[in-house]
Amino acid sequence: MVRVKRRYLVCEVIAGEEEDTQLQNIKELDVYRAVSNAISRAHGDYGMGLLKKSLNVKYLNIGTGMAFIRVRRGAQHLLQTALAFVKKIGNTNVTMTTLHVAGTIRSCQKFLISFHKQHLPDFLRHCSTPEERLQVQRSIKAACEKVNMYKHHSESHGIEEDDS
């Protein structure tokens, strides 16, 4: 039996400028519904047939606006084009962009750590209050700790990851 190969997309969810709540009320299910609707509008029944079963939002960090979306390998291009059609998640105006495509969640997490290291000064510069600054720092730290926990778990249980 052949295993099902998947692709993970690291997506940035950017709230509209007029939104005062930003991304605080958005849940993974809301992102899933918005992406499903965008796939349906962009690719119709064909796109939904290819992506519906394998589509899954694996991770959402509302503090940094990052999400991991899983699809089966070969269908990630349809998802990438459909993300351009996501304009609202719940009641929040958003824009979604793909930052990275990988074969494992672990490689997505590694990318996310390097992305945050490169963009940390920009994130902190745009914070208007000390509370926002602290929230961004905590979100980034939590994301980095999850990678370290997964790495420790993988090493202690002999789990090897392949990027196919």
Side-chain angles (χ1 to χ4, degrees), residues 6-10 69 71 76 100-109 111 163-164:
R6 306 187 189 283
R7 289 291 176 251
Y8 297 87
L9 279 74
V10 178
I69 301 175
V71 293
Q76 73 270 14
H100 185 70
V101 179
T104 62
I105 289 180
R106 186 174 180 184
S107 59
C108 288
Q109 291 171 331
F111 168 80
D163 283 334
S164 59

Side-chain angles (χ1 to χ4, degrees), residues 1-140:
M1 180 143 186
V2 178
R3 71 179 177 91
V4 178
K5 296 182 180 178
R6 306 187 189 283
R7 289 291 176 251
Y8 297 87
L9 279 74
V10 178
C11 301
E12 185 175 21
V13 182
I14 304 165
E17 293 181 19
E18 71 279 351
E19 301 295 325
D20 57 347
T21 60
Q22 296 295 319
L23 303 173
Q24 299 303 320
N25 298 325
I26 294 177
K27 306 286 184 225
E28 290 177 2
L29 183 61
D30 298 329
V31 174
Y32 175 82
R33 287 180 181 152
V35 171
S36 293
N37 290 337
I39 292 167
S40 180
R41 284 193 313 273
H43 302 291
D45 291 338
Y46 174 75
M48 286 305 292
L50 282 175
L51 293 170
K52 186 71 171 181
K53 188 173 181 180
S54 67
L55 182 67
N56 193 351
V57 178
K58 298 300 281 182
Y59 170 79
L60 176 66
N61 186 330
I62 58 174
T64 58
M66 296 293 173
F68 295 168
I69 301 175
R70 182 186 76 187
V71 293
R72 68 180 189 85
R73 189 175 75 174
Q76 73 270 14
H77 301 293
L78 291 175
L79 177 60
Q80 284 180 288
T81 57
L83 287 178
F85 294 97
V86 176
K87 300 298 178 197
K88 272 193 170 215
I89 298 178
N91 294 325
T92 307
N93 293 327
V94 298
T95 304
M96 290 187 75
T97 58
T98 304
L99 300 176
H100 185 70
V101 179
T104 62
I105 289 180
R106 186 174 180 184
S107 59
C108 288
Q109 291 171 331
K110 287 179 182 179
F111 168 80
L112 197 57
I113 288 173
S114 66
F115 178 82
H116 286 317
K117 283 180 182 177
Q118 291 173 354
H119 293 89
L120 184 61
D122 294 333
F123 290 141
L124 297 177
R125 188 178 358 216
H126 293 299
C127 294
S128 57
T129 64
E131 292 82 22
E132 285 181 11
R133 185 181 186 101
L134 187 61
Q135 182 182 7
V136 168
Q137 289 173 338
R138 285 182 181 161
S139 294
I140 291 172

